[in-house]
Amino acid sequence: MFKTRLLSGILLVIIALATIISGGNVLFSALCLVSFIGMTEIYKILGISGKLLGIAGYLAAGGYYALLLFDKPEWIVMLIIGYLILLMVIYVFAYPNYRSEQVMLAFFGLFYVAFMLSYVYQLRMLKEGAFIV
């Protein structure tokens, strides 16, 4: 058991170092993938992974990463507002299917996973970003 965890930990450190050192699109793609995996895990716990709330979260995360990729930070606030409005519309029209806790955690799941992981990429893209990360 310990040997398996140790080897997988070493492998993950090597992958993390390779993506961080290379930066650019490699790091961006890796963090985007990890964000979607992380959101899937949170949404599975909430029971909304394949449901409308989960799909809205995945779309918002995809939109956020698209805004990062195309360097459009001025649209991030509009994305957040649109995502919140979409969640409220889903909650109202599918009322008995979702609890308010699920909607709240779907909203904050975007920030907890996608936004926070994206800062690794944003820091890495600074002038001395490789050393900061």
Side-chain angles (χ1 to χ4, degrees), residues 17 20-21 90 96 113 132-133:
L17 284 174
I20 290 170
I21 290 170
I90 292 170
V113 179
I132 294 171
V133 174

Side-chain angles (χ1 to χ4, degrees), residues 36-91:
F36 280 109
I37 291 170
M39 288 180 72
T40 300
E41 292 300 318
I42 286 178
Y43 289 169
K44 279 182 186 176
I45 292 169
L46 297 173
I48 61 171
S49 180
K51 298 181 181 173
L52 201 53
L53 278 179
I55 293 168
Y58 299 136
L59 288 174
Y64 174 69
Y65 274 99
L67 290 175
L68 281 180
L69 184 63
F70 297 117
D71 197 29
K72 300 287 184 188
E74 64 271 9
W75 289 97
I76 292 175
V77 173
M78 291 302 292
L79 175 83
I80 294 168
I81 293 170
Y83 178 50
L84 182 60
I85 291 171
L86 179 62
L87 288 180
M88 292 297 108
V89 167
I90 292 170
Y91 182 58

